Amino acid sequence: MLSPKLPKIFYGGDYNPEQWPEPVWREDVKLMREAGVNLVSVGIFSWARLQPNEKTYTFEWFDRVMDLLAENGILACVATATASTPAWMSKKYPDVLAVDAQGKTYYPGARQHYSPCSPTYRRLAAALVRRLAARYAKHPALAAWHINNEYGCHMSACHGEASTRAFRGWLRKKYRSLEALNEAWGTAFWSQHYYGWDEILTPRRAPYHPNPTQQLDFRRFMSDAFLELCVMERDILRAATPAVPITTNFMGFFEPLDYRRWARELDFTSWDSYPDPATGHAAEASAASGHDLTRSLKKDRPWVLMEQVTSQVNWRPVNVLKRPGVMRLWSLQAIARGADGVMFFQWRASLGGAEKFHGALVPHAGTKQSRVFREAKALGAEVRMLGPVIGSLVRSRAAIAMDWNAWWGVGLDSRPGRINYAATLAEFHRYFFERNIAVDFVHPGEDLGDYDLVVAPALYLLAAKDAANLERFVARGGVFLTTYFSGIVDENERIVPGGYPADLRRVLGLWVEEWSPCVEGETKRVRFAKEGRTVACSHWCDVLHLEGAKALATYAEDFFAGTPALTVNEFGRGAAYYAGTKFETEDLARVLDGVCERAKVAPVLRAPKNVEVTLREKDGGRFLFLLNHGVQPASVALGGFAGVDLLTGGRVRGTVKLEPLGVRVVAVDGGSARAGTGE
Ligand code: GLA
């Protein structure tokens, strides 16, 4: 269980009492109880109200909020309030303000304008957190700590003086000598050689492409700089309350922060999921990928959906509403994919400020007439019924290897063609999502012993040791697939010479001589040998040579007609596939079907289109989730699965019917059913 004090699925949301007079707080807690809320994240943006000037703290109002929560049996995920600095602070200490690559300052007036490297920010944030920790350490409402909020969301790269100094310090620690830095950065190029550490700058506005390794190191440094803040707060909190779990809210596939490094430092992971209802079924697929990432970052325990919206957000050009039933469905989807908490932004809709048109559990009109509140209350009751799933985990035999360094590297300027790394990962994830095959996101260098299949699309930057790890995975019987522009550069963003993809050549049994990227809209033809089918490909065509691999498909046009486009190499006890081009979605799915079959990786159950199926497991319990994202009823044959529907108490076996947007959560009878077979 994530918090010893709250052995329940967390249900609640961001609570911002500073926006309301005290009589409203009393109504809030009454309504929270009515809605089944058991946890609120409180104080996230309270810094200005907790500290009116450097010397004065005003915790009394916050004490009253905490007491009121405790009296009403509602627990608090207490925020450290450091996400937005008060105006007095930057007036007194302008070094708190962040600066962009053009040298322009970010001013207060919105939020998150602080520089992560400002010593003043760090000093004042630490002072606040120390006081909060001491004051609430023993408070009966405290169940968890919520550090800061969505680090880097709006401001993720500071080029100010403090950041520049800190960047130099980070580089010194990493490279130790200027020679090593010059070598790694390739400064022989364009007269970039450095003779002193103080010559080095952050990659600021420049006439042309800044040094790529400098850019890459700056991204690593910034991710680490924000992480340092988080760890600083974590250490203060942990010292004061060793038993209280600590998290900060992630944002899923958020490029600026290498969450893999972050997750290790936290007690549980959490994230804020805002799929766009306007995107149809892509919305639930995209939420699923963020859920799977958040889960994979800390595989040994459940995670928390820290924020989502009840109805509609305010920050898209058009903010499409979640139709009735969608909030419930998407909340249960998070639980289906391993969450032990379903929370919202925010509890009560603001009357003023930039987010007044953002949905909330309590809308502007109040609760009496509100569809949203009715649904929230019903969901609160259902979430309570799902208590038995607490602590259970989603177990995957398939994984997508991804790395923030590869993401940053492939996204740099001056590449042969544009590769959208996040979209590429999403495309591969969607295959597994639609097939109802459980899938994790892993680092290519981590222990892959849990997996039978690893796919690694566009793994452009790959350290030799990570390539060796993938090779060992295949040698021991794993099935691996990678795609064009993988294994091209090392961790310093330098080409590994002698034929691409250097360190993966052996396992793939091929080498790539050159590539021919396609212009927008251009397609080529590819012929699959066995099936005798010719299909279209696009985006990129590797021109490659076999060194032991077998061609499964060949190009059917251009000067490279007849050369391999898709290959497989038997290696050790396993097999390594390579796709040198981009296939259309259905053709890729066919390729991946073959790859999964080879790896003996199977869906939890075969279900109709738009029905999501997952399984959570723990000692003594397995829970089958069926979620119908379609607008038509659907029937699912349960195979060998049978048990009790936790939401209705009824027994289910054989074939079950799901209403449009309907959900079943089946506590599976002990016995014969096994994940991946339904038998
Ligand atoms: C983020 C933030 C919240 C709020 C919501 C609005 O998730 O953490 O403070 O701004 O977005 O969607």
Side-chain angles (χ1 to χ4, degrees):
M1 122 197 15
L2 295 176
S3 169
K5 257 198 184 160
L6 187 53
K8 295 181 180 165
I9 293 191
F10 299 173
Y11 189 64
D14 282 21
Y15 180 39
N16 300 309
E18 66 273 16
Q19 295 180 19
W20 302 95
E22 292 204 27
V24 176
W25 304 353
R26 285 188 283 281
E27 187 187 281
D28 283 333
V29 288
K30 193 172 130 265
L31 292 174
M32 285 175 190
R33 290 173 59 137
E34 191 181 330
V37 165
N38 55 32
L39 184 74
V40 289
S41 305
V42 62
I44 294 178
F45 293 105
S46 301
W47 198 344
R49 294 292 296 276
L50 289 174
Q51 193 180 4
N53 58 58
E54 191 172 353
K55 300 265 166 337
T56 319
Y57 291 90
T58 46
F59 285 114
E60 297 71 21
W61 69 270
F62 203 79
D63 295 348
R64 292 197 293 281
V65 173
M66 291 288 283
D67 293 350
L68 192 60
L69 291 171
E71 282 155 23
N72 284 275
I74 297 157
L75 292 175
C77 181
V78 179
T80 55
T82 53
S84 205
T85 54
W88 61 258
M89 195 182 296
S90 39
K91 178 173 172 240
K92 187 165 180 191
Y93 302 111
D95 75 285
V96 160
L97 299 175
V99 175
D100 72 7
Q102 323 274 322
K104 293 189 187 133
T105 302
Y106 291 95
Y107 290 102
R111 64 177 173 185
Q112 235 184 57
H113 42 270
Y114 64 87
S115 163
C117 301
S118 154
T120 312
Y121 172 79
R122 290 184 176 207
R123 176 172 63 79
L124 294 172
L128 173 67
V129 177
R130 243 177 256 120
R131 280 176 170 78
L132 265 167
R135 195 165 184 108
Y136 300 108
K138 301 221 159 50
H139 197 284
L142 174 70
W145 292 110
H146 180 300
I147 294 183
N148 200 284
N149 188 66
E150 293 192 342
Y151 274 109
C153 174
H154 312 295
M155 204 302 297
S156 58
C158 175
H159 297 259
E161 271 318 300
S163 298
T164 305
R165 268 197 311 279
F167 183 42
R168 289 177 192 142
W170 185 92
L171 292 168
R172 273 185 109 121
K173 205 161 141 206
K174 173 170 180 179
Y175 292 107
R176 290 165 194 283
S177 76
L178 270 174
E179 292 88 286
L181 178 139
N182 278 307
E183 174 61 25
W185 285 20
T187 56
F189 189 73
W190 283 349
S191 186
Q192 291 174 352
H193 193 93
Y194 294 103
Y195 291 95
W197 291 100
D198 57 357
E199 294 167 9
I200 300 172
L201 297 174
T202 58
R204 300 179 183 179
R205 188 170 83 102
Y208 198 38
H209 307 305
N211 181 297
T213 317
Q214 177 193 16
Q215 292 191 63
L216 184 62
D217 271 342
F218 182 64
R219 300 206 83 151
R220 290 170 171 147
F221 157 70
M222 264 297 141
S223 174
D224 282 0
F226 281 104
L227 179 56
E228 247 176 57
L229 296 183
C230 182
V231 168
M232 172 188 86
E233 293 195 15
R234 194 262 334 254
D235 288 347
I236 297 169
L237 299 170
R238 204 166 267 170
T241 56
V244 178
I246 301 171
T247 193
T248 185
N249 46 346
F250 291 169
M251 289 168 281
F253 290 88
F254 180 64
E255 188 177 0
L257 304 183
D258 182 349
Y259 285 145
R260 201 164 269 121
R261 288 165 70 82
W262 285 62
R264 292 181 210 142
E265 308 293 347
L266 302 169
D267 294 320
F268 64 88
T269 55
S270 63
W271 89 291
D272 303 343
S273 175
Y274 291 99
D276 186 353
T279 58
H281 290 298
E284 60 255 13
S286 118
S289 69
H291 298 339
D292 288 353
L293 175 68
T294 309
R295 183 190 68 238
S296 308
L297 292 169
K298 233 171 171 57
K299 280 199 309 188
D300 62 339
R301 70 199 66 176
W303 52 278
V304 170
L305 175 60
M306 190 59 89
E307 288 182 27
Q308 59 169 338
V309 70
T310 50
S311 53
Q312 70 210 128
V313 298
N314 64 308
W315 40 263
R316 294 194 174 100
V318 177
N319 297 297
V320 168
L321 189 64
K322 287 182 182 170
R323 324 305 299 177
V326 172
M327 172 184 86
R328 168 185 188 257
L329 176 66
W330 289 1
S331 300
L332 296 176
Q333 180 193 30
I335 299 179
R337 303 190 89 83
D340 270 6
V342 167
M343 314 269 288
F344 295 85
F345 176 86
Q346 61 179 333
W347 163 250
R348 186 183 277 278
S350 311
L351 299 184
E355 293 186 326
K356 56 182 164 294
F357 295 115
H358 196 285
L361 288 128
V362 180
H364 292 145
T367 56
K368 293 270 180 308
Q369 319 288 329
S370 156
R371 166 185 76 84
V372 161
F373 189 77
R374 269 198 312 276
E375 287 191 28
K377 191 172 150 179
L379 178 61
E382 290 197 308
V383 162
R384 243 190 336 263
M385 294 175 199
L386 298 183
V389 308
I390 290 172
S392 62
L393 303 172
V394 173
R395 301 218 171 96
S396 312
R397 307 297 308 170
I400 298 172
M402 64 86 67
D403 179 17
W404 263 265
N405 291 278
W407 190 353
W408 294 330
V410 84
L412 289 167
D413 32 39
S414 63
R415 320 278 87 179
R418 284 271 132 228
I419 291 184
N420 182 333
Y421 190 67
T424 308
L425 294 176
E427 193 190 351
F428 276 79
H429 181 271
R430 188 149 184 185
Y431 165 80
F432 293 101
F433 174 69
E434 286 185 351
R435 290 287 191 272
N436 288 313
I437 295 173
V439 66
D440 288 345
F441 288 95
V442 296
H443 187 272
E446 79 184 55
D447 179 359
L448 300 172
D450 284 347
Y451 305 103
D452 298 313
L453 170 64
V454 173
V455 301
L459 197 58
Y460 163 73
L461 181 153
L462 183 65
K465 61 177 180 358
D466 298 341
N469 189 50
L470 295 169
E471 187 178 297
R472 275 195 303 277
F473 166 72
V474 181
R476 290 180 189 149
V479 175
F480 174 64
L481 177 141
T482 189
T483 67
Y484 53 92
F485 220 44
S486 292
I488 303 301
V489 295
D490 65 12
E491 58 270 52
N492 290 327
E493 224 280 327
R494 297 189 59 129
I495 299 287
V496 186
Y500 320 110
D503 295 323
L504 292 175
R505 258 175 87 161
R506 240 163 56 121
V507 68
L508 294 171
L510 56 82
W511 72 280
V512 177
E513 184 182 352
E514 54 186 336
W515 38 64
S516 175
C518 302
V519 294
E520 189 70 39
E522 182 186 356
T523 57
K524 303 270 179 214
R525 279 173 303 122
V526 169
R527 196 177 147 71
F528 281 81
K530 207 162 104 205
E531 300 89 329
R533 265 180 322 116
T534 301
V535 303
C537 68
S538 61
H539 193 210
W540 192 286
C541 300
D542 272 346
V543 183
L544 62 87
H545 303 279
L546 301 178
E547 289 176 324
K550 195 170 85 192
L552 297 174
T554 49
Y555 296 106
E557 64 182 287
D558 214 323
F559 78 91
F560 41 80
T563 68
L566 176 74
T567 65
V568 61
N569 189 39
E570 302 297 326
F571 186 86
R573 304 219 300 273
Y577 291 77
Y578 186 75
T581 189
K582 180 175 167 63
F583 295 102
E584 305 276 301
T585 308
E586 270 122 62
D587 299 314
L588 175 67
R590 263 194 217 112
V591 170
L592 291 173
D593 281 346
V595 172
C596 286
E597 200 177 309
R598 168 78 200 242
K600 298 199 173 60
V601 163
V604 180
L605 267 184
R606 292 196 193 279
K609 200 167 162 50
N610 300 324
V611 173
E612 180 178 351
V613 185
T614 70
L615 192 69
R616 289 184 62 162
E617 303 174 71
K618 65 178 174 185
D619 278 354
R622 282 174 312 140
F623 305 92
L624 180 71
F625 286 75
L626 308 171
L627 303 105
N628 183 10
H629 294 281
V631 290
Q632 300 297 329
S635 296
V636 184
L638 294 183
F641 286 114
V644 174
D645 184 339
L646 292 176
L647 297 175
T648 63
R651 279 203 63 79
V652 286
R653 61 195 304 262
T655 297
V656 293
K657 218 167 147 206
L658 291 160
E659 295 307 313
L661 310 184
V663 180
R664 302 277 193 150
V665 183
V666 183
V668 179
D669 296 341
S672 61
R674 272 191 298 118
T677 61
E679 281 155 12

